[in-house]
Amino acid sequence: MTVATQSISISAPSFRGLNNQQTGALLSMEWASEALNCAFDQQGRLGSRKGWIKANTTAISGAPDILRVHELILDNGISTIISAGGNKLYSGTTAPADKTGTSITTPTGSKWKFVNLNGDVIAAQEGHHPIFWDGGVGNFERLYDKQTLRANSTAYSVGDVVRVAGAAGTVYWHCTTGGTTAAADPGLSTTVGAATVDGTVTWTTRAFPVNGNTALSAFGRLWITDDNETTIYYSDLLQPWKFSGGTAGSLSLVSVWTHGMDTITALTEYNGRLVIFGRKSITLYQGADTPSTMTKEEQITDTGCIARDTVQHVGAMLLFLSDSGLHSLERAIQAGSLPFFDLSKNVRNGVEALIAAESDTLNGITSVYHEPEGFYLLTFISSGNTYCFDVKYPLEDGSLRTTTWSGIAPRGMISTRDRKLYMGFSGGFLGYYSGYTDNAATYGLTYFTAWSDLSAHAGSRELAGLLLERIKIPKRVGVVVQAPSGATLTLKIQYDYFGDVLTGISSSSYGTNVAEFNVSEFNVAEFSGGDARGSLSFPGRGSGKVLRIGLSYTSVSDKISFQQINMLAKIGRQAV
């Protein structure tokens, strides 16, 4: 028996975002089964992401992939963009200038960790000496070379540190007995821990931290790892080159990790605490403003950070990528506990698959939090895929609404003080997130609701009961959108999981529901006029017990947002 035509309305379709964890289950159309090149606008509606515009119209020489982007804030408040690609370092955006220079060992990679301290930018990367640049006309230099050269017949006090000309940069000399140096260099020992008498001065040889992969600027000092990623060196206050004397020192995690050995993957500050991420642990220290007396406050095991550049501060949350997805570390001060929230629980399988496919897990995954858009982007460089996590409106369980991006393929990313989102791209280009085309090229948006029997969208209990078990025969589908002039949309309907994707045919202008239909296999609905809210009417095709509705769109000049889907459908016989 066929029931009279019923009206079914889905407000704010897929406002909960992508759900790939329950692809075989029936969900409401509040979820999306596909959301490619989509983002959530400030009103919480699903729609198109923005694109990018070149910052430098002429490619950097050699057309390198720009793998890291950073903002240096100088002491005078001036901002400079730093980028790295093709084993070189650059400053500026419209015409990036090569700042690599010859004072540093030629880089063999471009996945630097940049931090700012006291007007300088300092960078660390596995297998490299830490380097710095002061933002001036010169180039990057070894951080080691900020130390004073030893001088003959010169007075030194306990705690002073020096280097000698031509040193490899792996050791320096710490004054442990003050006095005056000899008239000639006695030949300072390069053996770590050895003492050398120089006139009335005694120098003790210390190791300079080299080849470490991560660094942090916090509590007025530099924190940097060594080459085995088990020890953190912290500098003297505002002297990032001085790692002994004064208030400088080091912290070995070997005896701190309670569940066997780990490696340090990232460092950050959170709520006045030093946070040390390992691959399988997280250790928090309190009192890090005085490192010599700081104490371990808490240690979490079996969860850690696998990718250095995924750590981001997002409001009260601290986000990071673990083996099992995107997590948030929030400090519950009153309860004294550390709850974890799996922010990617609705797309966990997809995230885990991209982690497994990434050739360089530690440094090949990047992220950015961009407050003006209210999202956290997680990019997998090898595959060119990006997950967009909306942080404006978390779901009830704390997870984040998610979409996926392709085509745009950013590498390094930075959200700047002037609220721009800069991105590094292949081909030697810097760009910024703006407009609705990718470097003047259109991109495709594809969106499908979750599979549904529509019972969750029935206006009455009686209708919900009918929709649960019966065949649905859509006669007409209406879509309310906000879209620019000339936007072209395609409606798609698929039935019973494995059916063909059927498309309808419609043409509509703003303010009307008038449409002409023909038998063409492909449906388009075209807008005229300016950017506005419009209602498009499509003829329904096909039938089935469960269905999902999709829309595809090619970007033009402005965003498109989906506001409502309305359906007139006959309720047919009982499904077998």
Side-chain angles (χ1 to χ4, degrees):
M1 179 185 72
T2 300
V3 181
T5 300
Q6 300 291 324
S7 176
I8 301 164
S9 181
I10 301 104
S11 297
S14 298
F15 77 92
R16 292 184 176 274
L18 193 60
N19 190 325
N20 288 335
Q21 294 303 112
Q22 298 172 282
T23 53
L26 291 179
L27 302 171
S28 78
M29 289 188 176
E30 295 174 342
W31 293 98
S33 57
E34 293 182 35
L36 178 63
N37 287 326
C38 296
F40 291 94
D41 64 17
Q42 297 298 326
Q43 288 73 44
R45 302 170 301 187
L46 185 68
S48 55
R49 65 164 171 82
K50 290 181 180 177
W52 68 278
I53 298 172
K54 287 179 184 176
N56 54 315
T57 55
T58 301
I60 294 172
S61 177
D65 281 5
I66 305 302
L67 298 180
R68 293 296 184 271
V69 187
H70 176 75
E71 183 181 30
L72 166 63
I73 307 295
L74 299 173
D75 286 340
N76 60 9
I78 295 175
S79 166
T80 301
I81 297 299
I82 309 296
S83 55
N87 301 337
K88 292 189 176 183
L89 298 129
Y90 302 92
S91 69
T93 54
T94 57
D98 188 344
K99 290 292 180 179
T100 314
T102 58
S103 297
I104 65 175
T105 303
T106 302
T108 58
S110 298
K111 297 174 181 177
W112 296 95
K113 173 63 178 179
F114 293 103
V115 298
N116 296 335
L117 180 61
N118 201 25
D120 293 340
V121 58
I122 300 166
Q125 181 179 195
E126 183 180 11
H128 293 71
H129 278 260
I131 58 177
F132 82 97
W133 181 54
D134 62 9
V137 296
N139 298 316
F140 274 87
E141 301 177 54
R142 294 190 306 180
L143 184 63
Y144 177 88
D145 292 334
K146 272 213 164 195
Q147 297 175 115
T148 303
L149 279 168
R150 176 210 167 272
N152 295 330
S153 305
T154 301
Y156 289 95
S157 301
V158 172
D160 288 342
V161 296
V162 297
R163 61 185 174 92
V164 296
T170 57
V171 296
Y172 63 98
W173 293 270
H174 173 210
C175 178
T176 49
T177 300
T180 301
T181 54
D185 186 345
L188 304 185
S189 173
T190 58
T191 302
V192 175
T196 303
V197 176
D198 178 11
T200 58
V201 174
T202 299
W203 301 107
T204 300
T205 309
R206 307 291 191 195
F208 193 84
V210 296
N211 302 326
N213 194 56
T214 192
L216 169 68
S217 173
F219 311 106
R221 65 185 78 235
L222 177 69
W223 308 72
I224 192 167
T225 54
D226 64 356
D227 54 355
N228 60 16
E229 307 296 339
T230 59
T231 300
I232 300 168
Y233 291 82
Y234 51 88
S235 73
D236 202 0
L237 279 172
L238 301 179
Q239 299 182 77
W241 64 91
K242 186 178 180 182
F243 291 99
S244 61
T247 59
S250 63
L251 171 68
S252 173
L253 275 293
V254 172
S255 60
V256 175
W257 289 316
T258 57
H259 283 60
M261 284 296 292
D262 202 348
T263 56
I264 300 168
T265 55
L267 302 171
T268 194
E269 177 276 334
Y270 183 62
N271 282 354
R273 293 161 175 81
L274 173 67
V275 182
I276 305 168
F277 285 99
R279 285 191 62 89
K280 293 293 184 183
S281 66
I282 305 171
T283 308
L284 282 80
Y285 277 84
Q286 61 181 352
D289 50 344
T290 307
S292 60
T293 59
M294 67 181 179
T295 57
K296 184 176 74 170
E297 179 180 17
E298 194 152 0
Q299 187 169 70
I300 300 95
T301 57
D302 301 321
T303 298
C305 176
I306 63 168
R308 181 194 67 188
D309 296 323
T310 64
V311 177
Q312 298 287 345
H313 290 259
V314 180
M317 298 189 294
L318 180 64
L319 273 55
F320 64 95
L321 185 67
S322 76
D323 281 318
S324 59
L326 184 67
H327 287 280
S328 171
L329 179 66
E330 293 188 51
R331 186 70 193 173
I333 299 296
Q334 294 178 344
S337 62
L338 276 169
F340 285 96
F341 298 102
D342 184 359
L343 305 182
S344 60
K345 62 178 290 187
N346 301 312
V347 292
R348 186 187 302 119
N349 289 349
V351 172
E352 290 179 350
L354 289 177
I355 292 172
E358 182 57 52
S359 59
D360 180 6
T361 302
L362 180 61
N363 297 316
I365 305 173
T366 62
S367 72
V368 70
Y369 166 57
H370 189 47
E371 189 274 335
E373 299 288 339
F375 59 49
Y376 169 98
L377 299 182
L378 182 67
T379 289
F380 298 82
I381 293 177
S382 292
S383 64
N385 289 299
T386 298
Y387 274 88
C388 176
F389 294 92
D390 182 82
V391 300
K392 298 186 294 294
Y393 308 107
L395 297 174
E396 297 89 337
D397 61 359
S399 62
L400 299 180
R401 304 185 302 168
T402 310
T403 61
T404 59
W405 294 3
S406 71
I408 189 168
R411 273 68 169 167
M413 301 174 285
I414 186 70
S415 180
T416 61
R417 186 178 57 178
D418 62 357
R419 300 171 69 81
K420 274 189 175 181
L421 173 54
Y422 279 98
M423 299 173 166
F425 294 97
S426 61
F429 288 105
L430 280 170
Y432 53 94
Y433 187 67
S434 183
Y436 286 88
T437 58
D438 289 342
N439 189 24
T442 61
Y443 68 84
L445 174 156
T446 301
Y447 152 70
F448 267 101
T449 66
W451 288 101
S452 176
D453 59 16
L454 300 179
S455 60
H457 306 286
S460 67
R461 182 176 299 178
E462 180 182 9
L463 178 57
L466 291 171
L467 291 171
L468 277 171
E469 301 296 334
R470 291 179 176 267
I471 297 293
K472 271 68 75 176
I473 311 168
K475 307 306 292 181
R476 184 161 297 280
V477 178
V479 182
V480 179
V481 296
Q482 180 178 341
S485 173
T488 298
L489 286 85
T490 301
L491 177 77
K492 302 177 181 181
I493 305 178
Q494 189 175 18
Y495 296 95
D496 298 332
Y497 300 107
F498 302 107
D500 293 336
V501 176
L502 303 176
T503 57
I505 302 146
S506 176
S507 177
S508 179
S509 298
Y510 289 131
T512 74
N513 284 317
V514 179
E516 293 188 22
F517 311 113
N518 55 46
V519 293
S520 170
E521 183 177 353
F522 299 100
N523 155 44
V524 297
E526 191 169 321
F527 286 99
S528 61
D531 184 13
R533 181 176 180 271
S535 179
L536 293 84
S537 181
F538 300 84
R541 295 180 62 189
S543 63
K545 181 182 177 182
V546 299
L547 71 157
R548 63 176 187 159
I549 298 172
L551 291 165
S552 63
Y553 164 71
T554 299
S555 66
V556 282
S557 61
D558 208 340
K559 72 175 182 180
I560 184 168
S561 298
F562 307 121
Q563 296 183 259
Q564 192 170 26
I565 296 175
N566 300 306
M567 180 185 295
L568 289 175
K570 283 189 176 181
I571 312 302
R573 60 176 173 78
Q574 183 120 355
V576 177

